Amino acid sequence: MATRWHDVVVDSADPAALGRFWAALLDRPITGEDADEVDVALGNGQELVFGLVADPKVVKNRVHLDLTSTSPDDQAAIVARAVELGAKPVDIGQGDVPWVVLADPEGNEFCVLEQRDEYAHTGPVAAVVVDALDPRAQVAFWAGLTGLPVTREHDDFASLTQEAGPSLEFVRVTEPKAAKNRLHLDLAPPADGDLPTEVARLEAWGAVRADVGQIDVPWVVLADPEGNEFCVLTPR
């Protein structure tokens, strides 16, 4: 069994406040909370994990969430709810598009999509979207890590799809990564797996060790070929 995409981690100055914003916006329960972390159910056994960090946000995120809607009225209602909860409209150069770009209370950009049938199975989060210099290469790398199937692939866009829960998508950009990502994925080997063995497999596939200031932790921090950090947790 391949290493599983376990959760999405969001760097947070105030995990409690940001976790409550997202729990209310997605209408999902908080599943865990302590002084440094708040977990929100995402679906498909995955979670949004808001972890305490001291570093401020300084550039546009290269990883963001796309939210689903079921109609124009539903899209408008989600946008209104987000703004009421503390989100703000932002301009990242999107131009005239059918989706709405917002930022959460800590400035993390996200999109509220127009109704799309392809996301009917995902729940409130349609996709985790990653800026990519080479979407084809990135989707092939992440397919090898997670075992998820490649469902769309061309020069400007590529995606991996789960049977339930959000897709993992790569969208072409021209700007290289300039700072540590504020959103990253956690992967986990199966319960009968072995962390060093799995890390060695991922390194052989093209992952590299990454230093984000971790000291004595039970997980391993790696980066993909474009420098996007991710963590490999202990087997579970």
Side-chain angles (χ1 to χ4, degrees):
M1 182 183 296
T3 291
R4 180 172 61 90
W5 172 11
H6 189 266
D7 51 40
V8 181
V9 181
V10 184
D11 290 354
S12 310
D14 187 342
L18 198 58
R20 281 168 171 72
F21 167 88
W22 280 98
L25 179 57
L26 301 178
D27 193 23
R28 287 291 194 254
I30 291 174
T31 56
E33 182 173 2
D34 60 30
D36 296 332
E37 179 179 309
V38 172
D39 306 329
V40 176
L42 187 58
N44 194 33
Q46 297 168 324
E47 293 180 321
L48 278 173
V49 177
F50 300 89
L52 180 65
V53 298
D55 302 328
K57 182 178 185 293
V58 293
V59 296
K60 180 184 83 70
N61 288 348
R62 291 182 71 84
V63 183
H64 73 267
L65 303 182
D66 279 356
L67 307 190
T68 59
S69 68
T70 58
S71 68
D73 287 346
D74 185 49
Q75 183 186 30
I78 294 169
V79 171
R81 184 164 74 249
V83 171
E84 182 179 355
L85 290 167
K88 295 180 179 179
V90 293
D91 184 350
I92 56 172
Q94 65 268 24
D96 184 15
V97 293
W99 57 86
V100 179
V101 184
L102 302 171
D104 72 16
E106 292 198 6
N108 299 300
E109 301 88 1
F110 65 97
C111 299
V112 182
L113 302 180
E114 73 284 7
Q115 189 274 329
R116 301 186 192 180
D117 292 342
E118 67 195 275
Y119 299 126
H121 68 288
T122 67
V125 178
V128 177
V129 183
V130 185
D131 289 356
L133 300 176
D134 187 342
R136 288 183 185 272
Q138 284 290 84
V139 81
F141 174 83
W142 281 91
L145 261 63
T146 63
L148 294 174
V150 177
T151 49
R152 287 180 292 177
E153 180 182 8
H154 50 73
D155 290 344
D156 292 328
F157 179 84
S159 63
L160 302 171
T161 301
Q162 306 184 91
E163 290 185 2
S167 298
L168 180 59
E169 302 180 349
F170 301 90
V171 176
R172 186 177 181 276
V173 298
T174 58
E175 305 84 6
K177 182 174 181 287
K180 171 183 170 291
N181 287 341
R182 293 187 70 81
L183 280 75
H184 73 265
L185 304 188
D186 279 352
L187 308 182
D192 60 354
D194 176 73
L195 180 59
T197 299
E198 187 57 20
V199 168
R201 181 185 77 85
L202 301 183
E203 289 180 307
W205 189 250
V208 296
R209 299 273 178 154
D211 184 354
V212 294
Q214 73 274 17
I215 301 177
D216 184 17
V217 294
W219 57 85
V220 176
V221 184
L222 300 175
D224 71 16
E226 293 195 3
N228 298 298
E229 303 87 1
F230 63 96
C231 295
V232 187
L233 308 178
T234 53
R236 57 196 68 194

